Amino acid sequence: MNKFLLAPSIIAADFTHIADEIAACESAGADWLHVDVMDGHFVPTITVGPLFTEACKRATKLPIDVHLMISEPEKYLEAFAKAGANNITVHVETCPDLTGTVKKIKSLGCTAGITLNPATPASALDSALPFADLVLVMSVVPGYSGQVFMPEMIGKAEEIRNKLNALRSKAHLEVDGGMSEKTIPLMVQAGANVFVAGNAAFKHPQGVGQGIKALRASVV
Ligand code: DX5
Ligand code: ZN
């Protein structure tokens, strides 16, 4: 069982042969598959939905880690749970009752993640923190892969790690955005244990298998 988990972000893959890309992630030792759902409203980009998530589920044994960058996520929880999501992460900026949404996700049999934009203070998660299975720290402004890591998010990750420790929480601390062989160690230091990687995995010159292997080498 890996202490540090790698979750390649599939929207950075070559969509003309998704199944091969997923298989390469799996054989290279990825732990989860991160699916970025974007609605063109909460973030400018439109990506994928439950149908694509269900196809990913059929293409791999890896747990499916769904990141909802959509308005009114409550409306779609059931669809993503049915599609086979293992984890569903929602943004505090889109959930008026974050704790209620977390409980709803768990009632559907999925683990529940909470996340926040870089501009949102960590304290915004406080009420839901005791109930979350995962906290995702965004180290880029959500909406695109291939952006530059925001080092000012290191302090936020440390702050959230301290909050989780004070709660004796077993929640994962996941980081998403600009993760690479250079930036992952910085977030390991801050107390994170799960790392999403889009470009660093799928745009590696020797292909995604090598990309995953290089990222794994940066966390041992
Ligand atoms: C951004 C997404 C991230 C992104 C990661 O809104 O949530 O998962 O795809 O891509 P990289 O690792 O290239 O920043
Ligand atoms: Zn993501």
Side-chain angles (χ1 to χ4, degrees):
M1 175 69 173
N2 296 319
K3 178 166 175 260
F4 295 109
L5 305 178
L6 294 179
S9 167
I10 193 65
I11 63 157
D14 176 349
F15 269 44
T16 63
H17 54 103
I18 278 282
D20 300 339
E21 297 263 79
I22 293 174
C25 288
E26 193 165 348
S27 48
D31 297 286
W32 300 350
L33 194 68
H34 186 81
V35 177
D36 286 311
V37 179
M38 302 182 193
D39 64 357
H41 182 252
F42 175 62
V43 293
T45 316
I46 295 177
T47 57
V48 295
L51 266 182
F52 177 83
T53 302
E54 197 268 328
C56 289
K57 187 71 179 179
R58 275 186 283 120
T60 183
K61 288 187 295 304
L62 295 180
I64 307 291
D65 172 31
V66 171
H67 176 191
L68 293 182
M69 288 160 276
I70 64 175
S71 300
E72 300 182 292
E74 281 260 347
K75 284 184 176 168
Y76 304 95
L77 298 179
E78 217 149 317
F80 281 99
K82 271 209 191 91
N86 295 83
N87 178 72
I88 298 177
T89 295
V90 289
H91 272 262
V92 62
E93 300 87 357
T94 65
C95 298
D97 171 14
L98 185 59
T99 303
T101 304
V102 163
K103 290 180 178 171
K104 175 95 195 304
I105 294 170
K106 295 171 94 153
S107 74
L108 294 167
C110 303
T111 57
I114 55 178
T115 185
L116 66 178
N117 289 344
T120 303
S123 57
L125 300 182
D126 284 353
S127 58
L129 221 41
F131 308 96
D133 300 302
L134 176 146
V135 180
L136 172 62
V137 173
M138 291 304 296
S139 39
V140 293
V141 174
Y144 311 90
S145 58
Q147 297 181 77
V148 177
F149 173 74
M150 296 170 67
E152 58 275 38
M153 290 300 111
I154 296 171
K156 184 189 266 187
E158 281 165 352
E159 187 184 354
I160 293 173
R161 171 45 68 200
N162 292 337
K163 288 172 183 276
L164 291 172
N165 289 350
L167 289 166
R168 297 195 190 298
S169 164
K170 296 246 173 303
H172 290 293
L173 183 55
E174 184 177 32
V175 182
D176 187 5
M179 288 289 94
S180 69
E181 295 159 70
K182 288 197 181 47
T183 56
I184 285 179
L186 302 174
M187 283 304 203
V188 167
Q189 206 82 34
N193 72 303
V194 187
F195 307 97
V196 176
N199 269 33
F202 289 101
K203 303 288 187 276
H204 189 282
Q206 274 87 44
V208 64
Q210 283 310 314
I212 303 264
K213 289 196 175 95
L215 292 168
R216 175 73 68 199
S218 75
V219 285
V220 289

